Amino acid sequence: MKKMNEYTLGIIFSIVGIIASIAIIILKITSKDNITVGIVLLIACALSLIVNIKQKNNKKAE
């Protein structure tokens, strides 16, 4: 099994966060609540995913 580093774990947690934020948005829409928290969480997780992927690619280039 391939050893997992901090970049891989960051990518995994970002993907889990994106899935969770989508679930929050869906639950908020069905209950007619404000979806701002879900959208902010989705944006934060997406940006975190982008940063983790760039860092992992930079690490490979070294």
Side-chain angles (χ1 to χ4, degrees):
M1 185 171 164
K2 192 175 182 181
K3 185 178 176 185
M4 292 182 59
N5 58 18
E6 62 271 13
Y7 307 115
T8 306
L9 286 175
I11 291 169
I12 291 170
F13 285 129
S14 295
I15 292 171
V16 170
I18 290 171
I19 293 169
S21 62
I22 291 171
I24 289 171
I25 292 171
I26 291 170
L27 289 173
K28 294 284 186 175
I29 288 174
T30 58
S31 66
K32 306 282 194 264
D33 285 338
N34 192 353
I35 61 170
T36 305
V37 174
I39 292 173
V40 170
L41 182 62
L42 180 64
I43 293 169
C45 289
L47 291 175
S48 175
L49 179 63
I50 291 168
V51 168
N52 282 320
I53 289 172
K54 284 186 178 184
Q55 286 179 342
K56 186 174 183 179
N57 289 339
N58 288 341
K59 183 72 173 177
K60 282 184 182 178
E62 291 179 357

